[in-house]
Amino acid sequence: MAAAEAAEKGRESLDPLIWKACAGSGVRIPPVGSLVYYFPQGHAEQASAAPDFSSVACDRSFFLCTLVNVQFLADPDTDEVFARMRLEPRISAPAPPPERSVVEDGEGKGDGVASFAKVLTPSDANNGGGFSVPRFCADSIFPPLDYSDDPPVQSLKILDVHSTQWDFRHIYRGTPRRHLLTTGWSNFVNGKKLVAGDSVVFIKNKFEELFVGVRRTARSGGPLDISGYSAKPLIDPPTPFSRAAKRGANSGSGEGFSRNCRGRVLPEAVVEATTLAGLDHPFEVVYYPRVGSPEFVVRKEVVEAALRVPWSTGTRVKMAMETVDSSRITSFQGTVSCIVQHSPPFSYSPWRTLEVTWDEADVFQTVKRVSPWQLELVSATPQILTPYPAMKKPRTAQNQELLSDGAGPSTFFRMSDFSTMVMESMSPPIFSHNIFPAGMQGARHNPMCVSSLSNFLPDITLRMYPEKLNSNNSLPTTSHVSTELSIGCASQSGSLSPPSQNSIYYYGSELFGNAAVNNSSNVMNSSLRLFGTTIHIGQPVIADDKEGCNNNAVSVRPYSISFPYPQRQFHDDPPQGLPFVET
Amino acid sequence: MAAAEAAEKGRESLDPLIWKACAGSGVRIPPVGSLVYYFPQGHAEQASAAPDFSSVACDRSFFLCTLVNVQFLADPDTDEVFARMRLEPRISAPAPPPERSVVEDGEGKGDGVASFAKVLTPSDANNGGGFSVPRFCADSIFPPLDYSDDPPVQSLKILDVHSTQWDFRHIYRGTPRRHLLTTGWSNFVNGKKLVAGDSVVFIKNKFEELFVGVRRTARSGGPLDISGYSAKPLIDPPTPFSRAAKRGANSGSGEGFSRNCRGRVLPEAVVEATTLAGLDHPFEVVYYPRVGSPEFVVRKEVVEAALRVPWSTGTRVKMAMETVDSSRITSFQGTVSCIVQHSPPFSYSPWRTLEVTWDEADVFQTVKRVSPWQLELVSATPQILTPYPAMKKPRTAQNQELLSDGAGPSTFFRMSDFSTMVMESMSPPIFSHNIFPAGMQGARHNPMCVSSLSNFLPDITLRMYPEKLNSNNSLPTTSHVSTELSIGCASQSGSLSPPSQNSIYYYGSELFGNAAVNNSSNVMNSSLRLFGTTIHIGQPVIADDKEGCNNNAVSVRPYSISFPYPQRQFHDDPPQGLPFVET
DNA sequence: TTGTCTCCCTACGGGAGACAA
DNA sequence: TTGTCTCCCGTAGGGAGACAA
């Protein structure tokens, strides 16, 4: 069984609310009983080495399943939380029982659970045993201090995910006054082997009991490469989860666990799960929630809704991401720069098929390729205020060469089986849209405007995604539109509006929680900047993984990086430039 | 396979000479290819909990095997050496190939290997990082210091059993001058988790390379109970060899390994080995050499020779034991006080059937029950100089009740199958003795003299052990006899002499090495003290394990404890009263 | 508000001779 | 000869305010 790989890990389930707080509020575990899609590619991203799928007879790259069981667990060595999910493949899709999962629901704060995460600064992790407690954390999570004392001080008893108690001295001192954890903190840092960049999560439940969780950063020394997934040459060398380093001081110096962002799951477990799924047998998967490791078990409705959207190069999108302190959700905006086609056996997978150039170039570029359901459309009708001089010659010819490469014309999603499933489960009204006339191939290659990717869709894809084509004609948008100067080619007005703003939001809120809804509204009511790319503007590109859309070609050119996100005022980003995704 | 239990332990074989030095010179591993007996009881003594033999169909309690392979290994966690032996059961006994094992051979010092063991004092283990190097160790093992320096000092690079190097500063300083290890010693103590009572073994090979081994004491806190083995209620609770205690400082405090004298071997491995042996399938066993854990894989000749000896209550015996510094072998003398009969399924086993009251009451009583091949006969004809007033009434009646308990009369060794094998392999001359007339049962219950146990042997046993009965008539002894006051009832002159002094010595020297021969001679030429017991005097007792010969009944009464063993002048016993067997 | 610095106090590690068993 | 003590020094841990980002 797949369970063997984590056989001795995580004896008992955690309180789901505590688990969720440790995992981060952005993590969505579908409710038990719901219909989900399982994506082996996403599973493989969590493996310590590249799984060898050559033995898998089935060539499907996603599997419709019923989620029959979820265990909320924690790694005994690293304290990282993970979920073990039992899945039963479903050929046909019976009506899913309407059930809601605590973890899928929004904040969990309504349950009296509050949490605060902080990325450890070098001072927190290295120096003489002190931890700077952000004021918000002290005020909202810790019991109130008696400020009539001088200095105000108290002892905190905090349980970790293994119910081991840690004692900390919480003191409010210094000039100016600040909250600190002193005695006990050093023990904790050593015991948990924390380094700068790791996060601690302080959690208070409705009984005012305190808990502490840990999120590990991948050890610095190499950028976290999660930009894309290629089935062949998975980068990381196998890092066995060795428990060595119990030797004397002279020998090994290891910490006893890997900090690799992969490495928690055995490659064999992925292959096994995929094999079992292909045989329509029940199987188990283990999911470690991490920023940059999106869920690979996703609600059926979420996936299918996302695939109804007419994603194309130049589409303006936004992606919700929780702040590092897990207190809020922020949206980041960008432009679809590339439609990725994976290598076999995942040619037909929608997993991470959209490559996005993010507006905030510095912090977000490491997550370049995302899956459609991670994105929301930005409902903007951008006004092209100034023509942008093309820095490079439009590569129309080259892209057409690319299209004619290989075996036949590339398609957006060539997954006929998936499409079939999508269509089976579609609600009738969606089918009532008009079919957009085909035959637009190569119609307008104006660098100032974006042709829909559907221009390149062959007939079969048009038949499979009728509503996508139709949506290209639906308008108008109701969102506020930025009046800031926009550089480059934004999506053409009227050609990118989502078919149904409501349906997008519905699933978006499913995916990202209620906070995301509120936040998205905020963003929509805020100013909106748009960036373009110099190359792929107006040119839908279907790129193979190996060929790729490398950054040289995409060439992001931010014009202005000041952007008033009111939501970020309480962020706990470490100031020394740790990549956002590592927190 | 039995190997699974130690699957990840001990990757590679050590140099057998280093292994032997770490194990102690008293350890004898039979040579590969030789015929041996395997005793599951001895194997079970090394298990972490009482093996459950109920599933073992075969009721044999020992197995004639060929030793087909030996690996000399070291535990990666504790540094303790152990041997993995592969055994092939043999129904018939072909001529064993004459081969000698390095480890079975005597000192190993002829190979240029020298070693010195020291029991760590509290100062060595606890205090501010120093180790008092005995002068002999510094002179014989360490490279010579340049005594013209002031102070003389050098750096020692010493490899442990995993080839990890440890650096020590060796200095000769203080008034009066003494050898010390300073810098590096504290690291070593912490790294190896040494405590007072543990031993370190410094070893020099013929290339003058230095090695260090570790022998662990059972954690003080309870006396080491290895006095006897009962199949049913094995005392120790299961102490899983957990690698926990990787947690923070607040939680568990474990060391990562058990200091239990049992605990290295899984009970299931013992059952598995016994099961396979019973099916005449090859199997593997792991043996951890420890004082008090005698070898359970013993050369066939050694066992059979020992069983030819007419052991009986009152027999004067001696047992060789190496000094704690492994530099010498010392003999301890005592009197057989009890013949133990085990509970099923080991009723027919010779394992630890002899209970001995040792002359040196304080240091040796913890090893009360021994196997015949661990003992040598003392060829003495003790003179009873003063009648000893019985402190307790002779429990003749009670003992006779005990004899009539259970299913029929108890026997010396009721192991018909073993006897058969012994007889098959016996050399013809041994069979040429006369059969002693039977029917002496209950003849003389004189507390001043010891009746031979053979008095109680039923006919079947007489047939199996003809030479034992015959030996009761063989005399005289040629040994020196003590003129010290002897208390209690010693064995009657003329009734205990061994049939062949030479044969006893031959196997004795096989078992304990050449040094034992020399040493034994020394002892024989020294004065000889004899002690008796107040209870079992003159009463051959066959006791069941559960009923036992408890100490209250046996009641050792030493009269004089000064005993000039010249061999002990260089001992490294810690002075604070650690039991001898724990070193 | 909070990250980092420096100061400074204390505890502990550990190296030395004194001294005694 | 060597176990243990006490002394004493150096370093590291860590708790405090200063100061600046």
Side-chain angles (χ1 to χ4, degrees), chain B residues 128-157:
Chain B
F131 173 77
S132 268
V133 182
R135 176 180 198 77
F136 183 76
C137 176
D139 290 344
S140 64
I141 310 292
F142 294 168
L145 285 167
D146 180 356
Y147 288 99
S148 63
D149 292 348
D150 185 48
V153 65
Q154 66 181 340
S155 175
L156 300 180
K157 299 185 182 311

mmCIF file of all heavy atoms in Angstrom, chain B residues 128-157:
data_model
loop_
_atom_site.group_PDB
_atom_site.id
_atom_site.type_symbol
_atom_site.label_atom_id
_atom_site.label_comp_id
_atom_site.label_asym_id
_atom_site.label_seq_id
_atom_site.Cartn_x
_atom_site.Cartn_y
_atom_site.Cartn_z
ATOM 1 N N GLY B 128 35.050 17.593 34.748
ATOM 2 C CA GLY B 128 35.486 18.510 33.712
ATOM 3 C C GLY B 128 36.431 17.928 32.689
ATOM 4 O O GLY B 128 37.585 18.329 32.579
ATOM 5 N N GLY B 129 35.907 17.003 31.954
ATOM 6 C CA GLY B 129 36.546 16.612 30.729
ATOM 7 C C GLY B 129 37.931 16.013 30.786
ATOM 8 O O GLY B 129 38.758 16.289 29.919
ATOM 9 N N GLY B 130 38.229 15.219 31.780
ATOM 10 C CA GLY B 130 39.528 14.557 31.783
ATOM 11 C C GLY B 130 39.399 13.059 31.945
ATOM 12 O O GLY B 130 38.400 12.568 32.463
ATOM 13 N N PHE B 131 40.394 12.352 31.461
ATOM 14 C CA PHE B 131 40.423 10.905 31.596
ATOM 15 C C PHE B 131 41.771 10.514 32.173
ATOM 16 O O PHE B 131 42.819 10.880 31.616
ATOM 17 C CB PHE B 131 40.220 10.256 30.231
ATOM 18 C CG PHE B 131 40.392 8.755 30.223
ATOM 19 C CD1 PHE B 131 39.401 7.930 30.718
ATOM 20 C CD2 PHE B 131 41.550 8.183 29.717
ATOM 21 C CE1 PHE B 131 39.554 6.552 30.694
ATOM 22 C CE2 PHE B 131 41.702 6.800 29.689
ATOM 23 C CZ PHE B 131 40.701 5.985 30.179
ATOM 24 N N SER B 132 41.759 9.832 33.276
ATOM 25 C CA SER B 132 42.992 9.361 33.885
ATOM 26 C C SER B 132 43.469 8.126 33.135
ATOM 27 O O SER B 132 42.816 7.088 33.173
ATOM 28 C CB SER B 132 42.755 9.009 35.360
ATOM 29 O OG SER B 132 43.018 10.104 36.185
ATOM 30 N N VAL B 133 44.574 8.259 32.487
ATOM 31 C CA VAL B 133 45.099 7.133 31.724
ATOM 32 C C VAL B 133 45.963 6.291 32.657
ATOM 33 O O VAL B 133 46.946 6.789 33.204
ATOM 34 C CB VAL B 133 45.950 7.624 30.546
ATOM 35 C CG1 VAL B 133 46.460 6.445 29.729
ATOM 36 C CG2 VAL B 133 45.170 8.590 29.684
ATOM 37 N N PRO B 134 45.603 5.041 32.871
ATOM 38 C CA PRO B 134 46.493 4.188 33.664
ATOM 39 C C PRO B 134 47.874 4.126 33.004
ATOM 40 O O PRO B 134 47.988 4.088 31.777
ATOM 41 C CB PRO B 134 45.787 2.828 33.648
ATOM 42 C CG PRO B 134 44.362 3.161 33.425
ATOM 43 C CD PRO B 134 44.367 4.366 32.518
ATOM 44 N N ARG B 135 48.866 4.136 33.852
ATOM 45 C CA ARG B 135 50.240 4.166 33.358
ATOM 46 C C ARG B 135 50.501 3.032 32.381
ATOM 47 O O ARG B 135 51.138 3.225 31.340
ATOM 48 C CB ARG B 135 51.194 4.057 34.555
ATOM 49 C CG ARG B 135 52.639 3.972 34.150
ATOM 50 C CD ARG B 135 53.554 3.855 35.376
ATOM 51 N NE ARG B 135 54.913 4.196 35.014
ATOM 52 C CZ ARG B 135 55.337 5.425 34.845
ATOM 53 N NH1 ARG B 135 54.483 6.433 35.008
ATOM 54 N NH2 ARG B 135 56.577 5.660 34.499
ATOM 55 N N PHE B 136 49.963 1.850 32.713
ATOM 56 C CA PHE B 136 50.209 0.698 31.859
ATOM 57 C C PHE B 136 49.645 0.927 30.462
ATOM 58 O O PHE B 136 50.256 0.561 29.453
ATOM 59 C CB PHE B 136 49.590 -0.554 32.489
ATOM 60 C CG PHE B 136 49.840 -1.803 31.724
ATOM 61 C CD1 PHE B 136 51.073 -2.435 31.770
ATOM 62 C CD2 PHE B 136 48.832 -2.362 30.936
ATOM 63 C CE1 PHE B 136 51.311 -3.602 31.053
ATOM 64 C CE2 PHE B 136 49.074 -3.529 30.213
ATOM 65 C CZ PHE B 136 50.306 -4.146 30.281
ATOM 66 N N CYS B 137 48.491 1.549 30.421
ATOM 67 C CA CYS B 137 47.874 1.834 29.120
ATOM 68 C C CYS B 137 48.725 2.817 28.340
ATOM 69 O O CYS B 137 49.000 2.619 27.152
ATOM 70 C CB CYS B 137 46.473 2.384 29.341
ATOM 71 S SG CYS B 137 45.617 2.886 27.842
ATOM 72 N N ALA B 138 49.153 3.875 29.020
ATOM 73 C CA ALA B 138 49.975 4.868 28.320
ATOM 74 C C ALA B 138 51.267 4.253 27.831
ATOM 75 O O ALA B 138 51.726 4.548 26.716
ATOM 76 C CB ALA B 138 50.258 6.047 29.256
ATOM 77 N N ASP B 139 51.831 3.405 28.628
ATOM 78 C CA ASP B 139 53.131 2.832 28.257
ATOM 79 C C ASP B 139 52.997 1.775 27.167
ATOM 80 O O ASP B 139 53.852 1.675 26.284
ATOM 81 C CB ASP B 139 53.799 2.204 29.487
ATOM 82 C CG ASP B 139 54.256 3.262 30.478
ATOM 83 O OD1 ASP B 139 54.338 4.439 30.088
ATOM 84 O OD2 ASP B 139 54.499 2.902 31.640
ATOM 85 N N SER B 140 51.948 0.975 27.245
ATOM 86 C CA SER B 140 51.896 -0.183 26.358
ATOM 87 C C SER B 140 51.082 0.072 25.097
ATOM 88 O O SER B 140 51.250 -0.633 24.104
ATOM 89 C CB SER B 140 51.318 -1.386 27.107
ATOM 90 O OG SER B 140 49.984 -1.127 27.473
ATOM 91 N N ILE B 141 50.176 1.037 25.135
ATOM 92 C CA ILE B 141 49.304 1.238 23.985
ATOM 93 C C ILE B 141 49.640 2.531 23.254
ATOM 94 O O ILE B 141 49.801 2.541 22.041
ATOM 95 C CB ILE B 141 47.815 1.264 24.418
ATOM 96 C CG1 ILE B 141 47.487 0.056 25.289
ATOM 97 C CG2 ILE B 141 46.909 1.350 23.200
ATOM 98 C CD1 ILE B 141 47.522 -1.257 24.576
ATOM 99 N N PHE B 142 49.725 3.615 23.990
ATOM 100 C CA PHE B 142 49.916 4.900 23.334
ATOM 101 C C PHE B 142 51.354 5.039 22.846
ATOM 102 O O PHE B 142 52.265 4.418 23.402
ATOM 103 C CB PHE B 142 49.591 6.041 24.305
ATOM 104 C CG PHE B 142 48.149 6.109 24.703
ATOM 105 C CD1 PHE B 142 47.748 6.909 25.758
ATOM 106 C CD2 PHE B 142 47.183 5.369 24.036
ATOM 107 C CE1 PHE B 142 46.420 6.979 26.137
ATOM 108 C CE2 PHE B 142 45.842 5.431 24.419
ATOM 109 C CZ PHE B 142 45.465 6.237 25.479
ATOM 110 N N PRO B 143 51.560 5.873 21.840
ATOM 111 C CA PRO B 143 52.939 6.138 21.415
ATOM 112 C C PRO B 143 53.705 6.790 22.571
ATOM 113 O O PRO B 143 53.110 7.496 23.385
ATOM 114 C CB PRO B 143 52.774 7.120 20.246
ATOM 115 C CG PRO B 143 51.372 7.001 19.815
ATOM 116 C CD PRO B 143 50.579 6.578 21.008
ATOM 117 N N PRO B 144 54.989 6.546 22.644
ATOM 118 C CA PRO B 144 55.752 7.100 23.770
ATOM 119 C C PRO B 144 55.800 8.619 23.693
ATOM 120 O O PRO B 144 55.904 9.205 22.618
ATOM 121 C CB PRO B 144 57.146 6.481 23.602
ATOM 122 C CG PRO B 144 57.201 6.078 22.174
ATOM 123 C CD PRO B 144 55.808 5.704 21.771
ATOM 124 N N LEU B 145 55.685 9.231 24.850
ATOM 125 C CA LEU B 145 55.804 10.681 24.936
ATOM 126 C C LEU B 145 57.271 11.073 24.940
ATOM 127 O O LEU B 145 58.148 10.278 25.304
ATOM 128 C CB LEU B 145 55.143 11.185 26.228
ATOM 129 C CG LEU B 145 53.618 11.217 26.256
ATOM 130 C CD1 LEU B 145 53.136 11.416 27.687
ATOM 131 C CD2 LEU B 145 53.103 12.337 25.373
ATOM 132 N N ASP B 146 57.501 12.299 24.550
ATOM 133 C CA ASP B 146 58.849 12.852 24.674
ATOM 134 C C ASP B 146 58.943 13.480 26.059
ATOM 135 O O ASP B 146 58.475 14.583 26.291
ATOM 136 C CB ASP B 146 59.093 13.891 23.584
ATOM 137 C CG ASP B 146 60.488 14.498 23.677
ATOM 138 O OD1 ASP B 146 61.220 14.150 24.630
ATOM 139 O OD2 ASP B 146 60.840 15.292 22.803
ATOM 140 N N TYR B 147 59.560 12.752 26.972
ATOM 141 C CA TYR B 147 59.549 13.186 28.363
ATOM 142 C C TYR B 147 60.509 14.349 28.618
ATOM 143 O O TYR B 147 60.616 14.831 29.738
ATOM 144 C CB TYR B 147 59.858 12.009 29.302
ATOM 145 C CG TYR B 147 58.705 11.046 29.370
ATOM 146 C CD1 TYR B 147 58.706 9.873 28.608
ATOM 147 C CD2 TYR B 147 57.606 11.307 30.164
ATOM 148 C CE1 TYR B 147 57.649 8.993 28.657
ATOM 149 C CE2 TYR B 147 56.541 10.433 30.228
ATOM 150 C CZ TYR B 147 56.557 9.281 29.471
ATOM 151 O OH TYR B 147 55.499 8.418 29.518
ATOM 152 N N SER B 148 61.220 14.764 27.582
ATOM 153 C CA SER B 148 62.062 15.941 27.771
ATOM 154 C C SER B 148 61.226 17.224 27.662
ATOM 155 O O SER B 148 61.671 18.286 28.075
ATOM 156 C CB SER B 148 63.182 15.948 26.721
ATOM 157 O OG SER B 148 62.617 16.060 25.422
ATOM 158 N N ASP B 149 60.030 17.106 27.085
ATOM 159 C CA ASP B 149 59.143 18.263 27.064
ATOM 160 C C ASP B 149 58.597 18.515 28.467
ATOM 161 O O ASP B 149 58.533 17.602 29.299
ATOM 162 C CB ASP B 149 57.964 18.025 26.101
ATOM 163 C CG ASP B 149 58.407 17.979 24.653
ATOM 164 O OD1 ASP B 149 59.556 18.353 24.385
ATOM 165 O OD2 ASP B 149 57.601 17.554 23.816
ATOM 166 N N ASP B 150 58.204 19.769 28.691
ATOM 167 C CA ASP B 150 57.596 20.051 29.983
ATOM 168 C C ASP B 150 56.366 20.897 29.759
ATOM 169 O O ASP B 150 56.473 22.079 29.476
ATOM 170 C CB ASP B 150 58.577 20.761 30.907
ATOM 171 C CG ASP B 150 57.976 20.925 32.284
ATOM 172 O OD1 ASP B 150 57.444 19.918 32.798
ATOM 173 O OD2 ASP B 150 58.010 22.043 32.818
ATOM 174 N N PRO B 151 55.168 20.354 29.884
ATOM 175 C CA PRO B 151 54.961 18.932 30.169
ATOM 176 C C PRO B 151 54.980 18.125 28.884
ATOM 177 O O PRO B 151 54.724 18.685 27.813
ATOM 178 C CB PRO B 151 53.558 18.931 30.777
ATOM 179 C CG PRO B 151 52.874 20.084 30.111
ATOM 180 C CD PRO B 151 53.926 21.112 29.854
ATOM 181 N N PRO B 152 55.230 16.853 28.984
ATOM 182 C CA PRO B 152 55.138 15.998 27.786
ATOM 183 C C PRO B 152 53.694 15.919 27.303
ATOM 184 O O PRO B 152 52.790 15.672 28.101
ATOM 185 C CB PRO B 152 55.643 14.634 28.277
ATOM 186 C CG PRO B 152 56.342 14.920 29.560
ATOM 187 C CD PRO B 152 55.661 16.108 30.159
ATOM 188 N N VAL B 153 53.491 16.134 26.050
ATOM 189 C CA VAL B 153 52.134 16.166 25.520
ATOM 190 C C VAL B 153 52.168 15.721 24.067
ATOM 191 O O VAL B 153 53.167 15.925 23.356
ATOM 192 C CB VAL B 153 51.540 17.589 25.658
ATOM 193 C CG1 VAL B 153 52.303 18.596 24.809
ATOM 194 C CG2 VAL B 153 50.070 17.617 25.308
ATOM 195 N N GLN B 154 51.101 15.070 23.636
ATOM 196 C CA GLN B 154 50.984 14.687 22.237
ATOM 197 C C GLN B 154 49.503 14.611 21.868
ATOM 198 O O GLN B 154 48.638 14.570 22.738
ATOM 199 C CB GLN B 154 51.658 13.334 21.964
ATOM 200 C CG GLN B 154 50.989 12.157 22.660
ATOM 201 C CD GLN B 154 51.688 10.842 22.388
ATOM 202 O OE1 GLN B 154 52.417 10.719 21.422
ATOM 203 N NE2 GLN B 154 51.449 9.857 23.260
ATOM 204 N N SER B 155 49.253 14.610 20.588
ATOM 205 C CA SER B 155 47.882 14.452 20.109
ATOM 206 C C SER B 155 47.711 13.028 19.602
ATOM 207 O O SER B 155 48.537 12.522 18.841
ATOM 208 C CB SER B 155 47.608 15.459 18.991
ATOM 209 O OG SER B 155 46.321 15.235 18.454
ATOM 210 N N LEU B 156 46.641 12.392 20.035
ATOM 211 C CA LEU B 156 46.362 11.017 19.611
ATOM 212 C C LEU B 156 45.174 11.026 18.659
ATOM 213 O O LEU B 156 44.146 11.640 18.949
ATOM 214 C CB LEU B 156 46.041 10.143 20.821
ATOM 215 C CG LEU B 156 47.116 10.022 21.891
ATOM 216 C CD1 LEU B 156 46.636 9.118 23.014
ATOM 217 C CD2 LEU B 156 48.397 9.481 21.280
ATOM 218 N N LYS B 157 45.327 10.342 17.554
ATOM 219 C CA LYS B 157 44.220 10.177 16.615
ATOM 220 C C LYS B 157 43.785 8.724 16.696
ATOM 221 O O LYS B 157 44.545 7.826 16.360
ATOM 222 C CB LYS B 157 44.659 10.535 15.196
ATOM 223 C CG LYS B 157 45.127 11.992 15.095
ATOM 224 C CD LYS B 157 45.460 12.386 13.672
ATOM 225 C CE LYS B 157 45.973 13.817 13.613
ATOM 226 N NZ LYS B 157 45.110 14.782 14.347
#
